Amino acid sequence: LAFYVKSPRYLLSHNKVEDAWKVFSLMAFINGKDVNSIVKKQEFLLKAGKINDDFPKDPLLKRFYSILQPPYLRRTVLLLVVFSIQFSTYYGSTIFLPYNLQILGVDPYFVSFVGFLAQIPGTCLMAIIVEWPLVGRRNSFRLFTALTAIFFFLFAFFRNEVA
């Protein structure tokens, strides 16, 4: 976090135009580009004024409003749908599975404890895979979503009859 800087877009949305220009210049320098060959400072400041006019004045509303704009609206809705499905399956499994195992005579507290322990390797594996350059966040998200769907599909057809 010592080298962490905010994005120019974020700084512009909070009326920190000079800071945004500095970060933009730093980005150009790191990428080996001349910042003036990309955009002149006056042009940048002019565009910054237009960006600030598009947002509401309240900082909290600015952030919320930005995810509902056309460039992000489709992603926002898609992420909301995927999150809702995963949320439902997760809580469905944490409620449905202990209930069915209790019918089979397994202690529900034991099931909850084992369920907690089972999440640890998956969380660690996800944290490692996300940082791999060839996999990244999107592909790791796709992989774990597909694996979740496959295992829930298999679990739906698993029958263990009580003798």
Side-chain angles (χ1 to χ4, degrees), residues 9 12-15 17 45-58 62 65 69:
R9 175 80 175 167
L12 289 174
S13 68
H14 287 80
N15 292 326
V17 180
L45 297 175
L46 185 66
K47 288 181 181 180
K50 291 180 183 177
I51 290 173
N52 286 333
D53 291 341
D54 292 343
F55 285 104
K57 298 301 177 200
D58 182 25
K62 286 181 187 180
Y65 181 72
Q69 293 302 307

Side-chain angles (χ1 to χ4, degrees), residues 5 8 12 17 27-28 56 60 73 77 130 145 148 157 163:
V5 293
L12 289 174
V17 180
M27 291 167 57
L60 184 61
L73 181 61
V77 171
V130 163
T145 301
T148 301
F157 293 103

Side-chain angles (χ1 to χ4, degrees), residues 52-111:
N52 286 333
D53 291 341
D54 292 343
F55 285 104
K57 298 301 177 200
D58 182 25
L60 184 61
L61 285 176
K62 286 181 187 180
R63 283 185 257 149
F64 182 74
Y65 181 72
S66 67
I67 64 170
L68 298 175
Q69 293 302 307
Y72 302 111
L73 181 61
R74 186 170 160 219
R75 284 185 184 172
T76 301
V77 171
L78 181 64
L79 284 173
L80 182 63
V81 168
V82 169
F83 173 78
S84 299
I85 291 169
Q86 287 187 328
F87 179 81
S88 300
T89 56
Y90 176 77
Y91 281 101
S93 68
T94 57
I95 294 170
F96 173 75
L97 181 63
Y99 174 75
N100 283 336
L101 291 176
Q102 187 178 11
I103 291 172
L104 296 173
V106 180
D107 183 21
Y109 294 109
F110 177 74
V111 172

Side-chain angles (χ1 to χ4, degrees), residues 90-152:
Y90 176 77
Y91 281 101
S93 68
T94 57
I95 294 170
F96 173 75
L97 181 63
Y99 174 75
N100 283 336
L101 291 176
Q102 187 178 11
I103 291 172
L104 296 173
V106 180
D107 183 21
Y109 294 109
F110 177 74
V111 172
S112 297
F113 180 70
V114 170
F116 164 73
L117 290 179
Q119 291 177 23
I120 294 173
T123 304
C124 294
L125 183 64
M126 181 69 170
I128 293 168
I129 289 178
V130 163
E131 297 301 324
W132 286 352
L134 296 176
V135 179
R137 294 180 182 187
R138 287 184 182 174
N139 289 333
S140 62
F141 179 73
R142 290 175 184 147
L143 172 70
F144 278 87
T145 301
L147 288 173
T148 301
I150 289 168
F151 285 115
F152 272 114

